[in-house]
Amino acid sequence: QVQLVESGGGLVQAGGSLRLACVASGTFFSLNTMDWYRQPPGKQREVVATVTSNDDTAYADSVKGRFTISRDNAKRTVYLQMNSLKPEDTAVYYCHTRTIRDYLEVWGQGTLVTVSS
């Protein structure tokens, strides 16, 4: 069973930085495309960043140049470095992947990021 556990959320002032981490278990991690999503209060969940098994990355326009996604296959961990945070970045951030065999979605429990103005 694939499991994802996020950490690193918290309260930060605008302009500050946070780094989120997501540890995966139950999967051959290096083959998985990994994503970070977020869900702002009262809004729909949206994709923030993606990293493929080949280390190709993609970002939502709203975070380009401020956020960086990376992975450490030896640690089975994907990171999201968030710099120059804005109040509109406030959200619950979720780690996401799909199982390799059945392409089923797997979500972490989420970690709350609050950016104060």
Side-chain angles (χ1 to χ4, degrees):
Q1 183 179 358
V2 180
Q3 291 187 321
L4 304 173
V5 179
E6 303 102 332
S7 62
L11 174 64
V12 63
Q13 287 189 332
S17 299
L18 281 175
R19 188 176 81 155
L20 306 182
C22 169
V23 180
S25 61
T27 183
F28 200 72
F29 179 77
S30 63
L31 297 181
N32 287 80
T33 290
M34 303 297 299
D35 314 284
W36 284 100
Y37 281 72
R38 67 184 180 187
Q39 187 164 17
K43 296 184 179 181
Q44 290 188 330
R45 197 172 296 189
E46 59 184 8
V47 62
V48 173
T50 297
V51 60
T52 70
S53 58
N54 295 327
D55 274 334
D56 294 324
T57 58
Y59 298 92
D61 288 343
S62 58
V63 306
K64 279 181 182 176
R66 300 188 298 122
F67 291 11
T68 303
I69 189 171
S70 62
R71 65 191 299 157
D72 184 334
N73 290 336
K75 295 182 178 180
R76 307 172 67 82
T77 301
V78 60
Y79 302 97
L80 186 67
Q81 178 66 44
M82 306 185 294
N83 298 329
S84 302
L85 282 161
K86 305 175 182 180
E88 51 263 45
D89 294 319
T90 294
V92 178
Y93 284 72
Y94 296 91
C95 187
H96 171 270
T97 192
R98 290 183 179 270
T99 60
I100 295 168
R101 178 180 297 180
D102 303 320
Y103 211 57
L104 299 176
E105 290 193 287
V106 181
W107 296 92
Q109 83 284 358
T111 186
L112 177 63
V113 172
T114 303
V115 184
S116 63
S117 57

